[in-house]
Amino acid sequence: MMLKTERRKIILERLEEVLKPLGYEREMLSGDAIYRRFDKDSCDYFFLDFTTSFVDLRYLGHGLIEIESLMSEIIGNRELSSFNNKSSIRTTFTDPTFSGGGDFAAGDDFSMKAKSWCGLDTPEIVHLYCDWLTNYFTHEYPMIVEHYSYLPNILQKMNELDAKKIAWGNIVSEGILCGGFPDLCGLLISKLCNDPFYEEKFNFWAEDYAKDENEKWLQCFERFCSIIEHVEPRYNI
């Protein structure tokens, strides 16, 4: 059985070779790795958890300043984090095509797009995992980011989730929105896209926030209502 420290060393070295030239910064936290990349319009974030026999890719997300600057007006500093003493925006959307977990020792291979992997028990297998992960961040992930950075594509995914009765923020089952308050974020995107079903979406969440069990969040929804009145559509779907 391979030591966790040995597995982590290989993975971090392989990722550093690929991600650092792409502008990612790394911060170690109790042996786990946080990666973040900033530019003027967005940020990327993910977390690699090495604490168990699994290697977990967690909290993968891309943040759009056009969304998160408005979300900050609505919910304040909730869900904001810092990284190497830098202030950070929230993430907006994730890759909805990941599955839950894979086990290389049980016969799963890296054609299976899983966030969590076990069975990475030899250096050869760990390097295969690294090949898959680095290829994802250099090829597939940029295409996901490009696709969903166009807000009408997020709205289309939201509508697909509605048809399946899956919450927009249910990131363990095809969900697309990964930041704090995905319901309010989704309504904001709906308004920006001039969604003909915006009122229907709004009324659904207005009823939900009116429930007694959601009273502690009602202030955020009321703040959303006061701000959304002044938000003009930026797209015309």
Side-chain angles (χ1 to χ4, degrees):
M1 179 67 69
M2 192 175 190
L3 294 174
K4 286 190 294 184
T5 53
E6 184 182 0
R7 181 189 303 119
R8 181 178 61 202
K9 181 175 183 294
I10 293 172
I11 293 171
L12 293 181
E13 287 177 352
R14 287 287 307 275
L15 283 179
E16 192 75 2
E17 293 173 358
V18 172
L19 296 182
K20 189 173 183 179
L22 295 177
Y24 282 89
E25 301 175 64
R26 185 182 76 194
E27 182 177 36
M28 299 303 297
L29 180 66
S30 300
D32 300 322
I34 301 170
Y35 288 88
R36 203 182 295 262
R37 178 173 61 178
F38 300 85
D39 63 34
K40 63 183 179 64
D41 297 317
S42 64
C43 79
D44 296 284
Y45 176 94
F46 69 94
F47 182 98
L48 277 179
D49 186 341
F50 298 101
T51 55
T52 68
S53 59
F54 287 78
V55 177
D56 288 321
L57 173 64
R58 302 172 58 192
Y59 309 122
L60 174 67
H62 183 79
L64 298 171
I65 287 179
E66 68 170 320
I67 297 298
E68 299 307 328
S69 58
L70 287 168
M71 287 299 294
S72 289
E73 293 183 42
I74 296 164
I75 64 174
N77 291 329
R78 291 182 176 89
E79 307 295 327
L80 282 176
S81 59
S82 62
F83 179 80
N84 287 342
N85 298 317
K86 292 182 180 178
S87 148
S88 144
I89 65 172
R90 285 167 290 266
T91 52
T92 308
F93 64 83
T94 188
D95 180 350
T97 63
F98 268 102
S99 61
D103 184 350
F104 197 88
D108 297 331
D109 62 36
F110 298 115
S111 63
M112 177 182 176
K113 191 174 174 184
K115 285 186 177 180
S116 178
W117 279 95
C118 66
L120 310 181
D121 296 330
T122 70
E124 292 77 16
I125 294 173
V126 173
H127 279 290
L128 287 175
Y129 170 79
C130 292
D131 291 343
W132 166 75
L133 194 58
T134 55
N135 182 71
Y136 173 76
F137 278 108
T138 54
H139 294 90
E140 189 171 353
Y141 180 67
M143 291 189 291
I144 293 287
V145 167
E146 181 179 11
H147 180 72
Y148 287 115
S149 291
Y150 180 62
L151 296 186
N153 288 337
I154 296 183
L155 178 60
Q156 180 182 4
K157 182 63 177 178
M158 287 164 50
N159 290 336
E160 292 171 2
L161 293 168
D162 283 343
K164 296 179 179 180
K165 307 218 179 290
I166 298 174
W168 304 331
N170 185 355
I171 60 173
V172 299
S173 181
E174 302 183 49
I176 181 66
L177 300 178
C178 63
F181 293 81
D183 42 2
L184 301 184
C185 182
L187 287 177
L188 174 59
I189 290 169
S190 174
K191 180 69 179 288
L192 288 170
C193 290
N194 202 21
D195 179 7
F197 300 104
Y198 167 75
E199 292 297 334
E200 181 180 325
K201 291 179 172 70
F202 176 89
N203 290 335
F204 173 86
W205 286 109
E207 290 180 10
D208 192 71
Y209 275 94
K211 295 176 181 176
D212 290 343
E213 62 265 29
N214 293 327
E215 183 179 3
K216 65 179 178 179
W217 308 120
L218 185 58
Q219 185 177 2
C220 288
F221 183 72
E222 291 172 344
R223 178 67 177 157
F224 170 84
C225 292
S226 68
I227 289 173
I228 201 69
E229 292 179 0
H230 308 289
V231 172
E232 296 295 329
R234 299 178 186 176
Y235 303 86
N236 191 14
I237 62 170

